[in-house]
């Protein structure tokens, strides 16, 4: 295969692919995102004669806690009745999420949260999805989030320093999948996707040189893992393969759409603002409702559908429902154009 040190494209565009420095940009640019705003008040390592098995993030006020990366909720403890130190559990209210990176299992743990968590066991969560609010339940001396990372799962008792995961230095050690994709989930390290509008070359980098691989065809889809300014600007589509940034030939989109300041999930249709305390109900396969807990004013929940059963109820995910009661909740939805784009995105 012929190697070239440079090449000339029909059009060479030198636009720089920018990432913001906010948490939302962090969520797009690294596999794991910082799970809450605030400063690090304590790090992994020996503390008070024992191992402090995670990092603490502290902040005042109403502080949302987010899933550090996509996964499935495996444990929820929501037994603390208030935000004081009245829980017997060391961690207070906490959530554990399991992440599967092409067979490599990692658990993340979120501790000391306020009561009224937003997720349930078995629920799939996306990266940046709100789990609840920062609190000081359990063995805690002030409001903060205690965050742990457990390769192999928490049952293996193998907590490691979370900081390499949060700053992206562990990304290269997690397995990736093939570069071609069709309506799958976002891969480890993926930041977006490319649709081919007109035939364009696929290149493979070998050291500082490029090798022509093949011509990509119209309407093909490729995962994107990064961007750099080499050779006029190229998107990394995995396995050292690159596509040149030519806006007349390709269309790049992020895999992340935001509404109300958080990620808009696939199949989501809108959201509920809680105005007054109202019951959250769990519905089984037979349609039987079981009282779960009280939702508090100021909380926000994603909505995935609506049923006229039981006087009218909103589906808030995970088998949970909120009754349509005027004055207690407000339902809102993005524009039709936004919903159309959200349903058409390729993940």
């Amino acid at each position: 295969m012929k190697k070239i040190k440079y090449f000339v494209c029909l059009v060479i565009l030198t636009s720089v692919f920018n990432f913001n420095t906010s948490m939302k940009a962090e969520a797009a640019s690294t596999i794991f995102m910082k799970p809450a705003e605030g400063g690090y008040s304590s790090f992994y390592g020996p503390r008070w004669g024992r191992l402090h098995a995670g990092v603490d993030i502290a902040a005042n006020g109403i502080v949302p806690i987010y899933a550090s990366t996509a996964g499935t909720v495996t444990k929820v403890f929501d037994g603390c009745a208030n935000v004081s130190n009245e829980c017997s559990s060391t961690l207070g209210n906490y959530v554990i999420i399991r992440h599967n990176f092409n067979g490599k299992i990692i658990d993340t743990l979120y501790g000391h949260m306020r009561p009224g968590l937003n997720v349930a066991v078995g629920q799939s969560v996306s990266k940046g999805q709100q789990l609840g609010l920062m609190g000081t339940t359990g063995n805690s001396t002030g409001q903060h989030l205690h965050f742990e990372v457990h390769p192999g799962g928490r049952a293996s008792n193998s907590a490691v320093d979370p900081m390499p995961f949060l700053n992206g230095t562990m990304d290269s050690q997690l397995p990736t999948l093939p570069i071609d994709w069709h309506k799958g989930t976002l891969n480890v390290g993926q930041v977006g996707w490319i649709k081919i509008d007109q035939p364009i070359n696929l290149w493979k980098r070998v050291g500082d040189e490029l090798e022509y691989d093949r011509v990509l065809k119209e309407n093909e889809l490729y995962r994107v893992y990064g961007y750099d300014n080499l050779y006029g600007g190229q998107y990394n589509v995995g396995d050292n393969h690159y596509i040149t940034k030519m806006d007349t030939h390709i269309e790049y989109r992020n895999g992340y759409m935001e509404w109300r300041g958080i990620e808009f999930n696939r199949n989501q249709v809108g959201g509920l603002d809680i105005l007054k305390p109202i019951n959250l109900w769990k519905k089984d396969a037979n349609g039987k409702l079981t009282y779960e807990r009280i939702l508090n004013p100021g909380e926000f929940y994603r909505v995935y559908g609506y049923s006229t059963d039981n006087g009218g109820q909103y589906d808030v995910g995970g088998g949970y429902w909120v009754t349509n009661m005027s004055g207690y909740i407000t339902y809102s939805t993005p524009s039709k154009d936004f919903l159309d784009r959200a349903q058409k995105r390729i993940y």
Side-chain angles (χ1 to χ4, degrees), residues 6-236:
Y6 63 90
F7 61 91
V8 179
C9 298
L10 294 175
V11 179
I12 297 180
L13 301 175
T14 58
S15 302
V16 177
F17 184 72
N18 292 318
F19 288 103
N20 293 327
T21 57
S22 67
M23 284 186 68
K24 299 178 184 65
E26 180 186 351
S29 60
T30 62
I31 297 173
F32 289 81
M33 63 176 279
K34 187 179 178 183
E37 295 280 7
Y40 290 105
S41 58
S42 185
F43 292 92
Y44 177 91
R47 190 180 72 173
W48 304 332
R50 57 182 296 180
L51 174 67
H52 182 242
V55 296
D56 292 343
I57 302 170
N60 295 321
I62 305 299
V63 184
I65 304 299
Y66 304 107
S68 186
T69 194
T72 301
V73 178
T74 60
K75 190 166 186 179
V76 173
F77 188 92
D78 200 9
C80 298
N82 53 46
V83 294
S84 66
N85 299 323
E86 295 182 2
C87 296
S88 59
S89 170
T90 303
L91 292 167
N93 297 318
Y94 69 95
V95 173
I96 296 177
I97 301 175
R98 172 149 295 183
H99 317 278
N100 188 331
F101 298 110
N102 200 20
K104 185 170 184 177
I105 300 298
I106 295 177
D107 284 353
T108 52
L109 180 147
Y110 311 75
H112 305 310
M113 298 168 68
R114 294 192 184 193
L117 302 179
N118 296 1
V119 293
V121 172
Q123 180 178 343
S124 295
V125 294
S126 58
K127 182 178 181 179
Q129 181 170 337
Q130 185 172 337
L131 308 177
L133 298 174
M134 186 181 293
T136 182
T137 55
N139 186 12
S140 170
T141 58
Q143 179 168 291
H144 72 284
L145 168 68
H146 176 77
F147 177 71
E148 296 181 4
V149 175
H150 294 260
R154 186 169 183 249
S156 65
N157 196 28
S158 59
V160 298
D161 185 358
M163 292 309 297
F165 293 84
L166 296 179
N167 63 27
T169 57
M170 284 295 297
D171 289 2
S172 63
Q173 299 185 36
L174 297 174
T176 58
L177 301 176
I179 63 174
D180 294 335
W181 68 300
H182 294 278
K183 294 187 178 180
T185 58
L186 284 172
N187 277 354
V188 175
Q190 184 179 348
V191 297
W193 57 277
I194 280 176
K195 175 180 174 290
I196 307 302
D197 291 330
Q198 298 183 45
I200 189 173
N201 289 346
L202 177 68
W203 303 92
K204 184 171 184 177
R205 291 188 188 177
V206 181
D208 294 331
E209 299 181 337
L210 287 175
E211 291 183 352
Y212 166 79
D213 190 292
R214 66 181 185 273
V215 173
L216 306 182
K217 299 178 181 180
E218 184 178 351
N219 293 322
E220 290 182 345
L221 301 168
Y222 292 87
R223 301 180 188 271
V224 174
Y225 296 94
Y227 179 87
D228 61 42
N229 292 316
L230 297 178
Y231 306 104
Q234 290 190 319
Y235 293 99
N236 175 4

Side-chain angles (χ1 to χ4, degrees), residues 237-271:
V237 293
D239 195 29
N240 292 321
H241 284 78
Y242 289 80
I243 299 174
T244 304
K245 188 183 189 311
M246 299 177 64
D247 290 344
T248 54
H249 288 64
I250 63 173
E251 178 184 355
Y252 172 81
R253 288 188 180 180
N254 291 325
Y256 182 97
M257 292 182 67
E258 182 183 290
W259 181 65
R260 297 286 301 266
I262 59 175
E263 183 175 359
F264 194 85
N265 286 351
R266 188 176 184 180
N267 298 324
Q268 182 181 349
V269 296

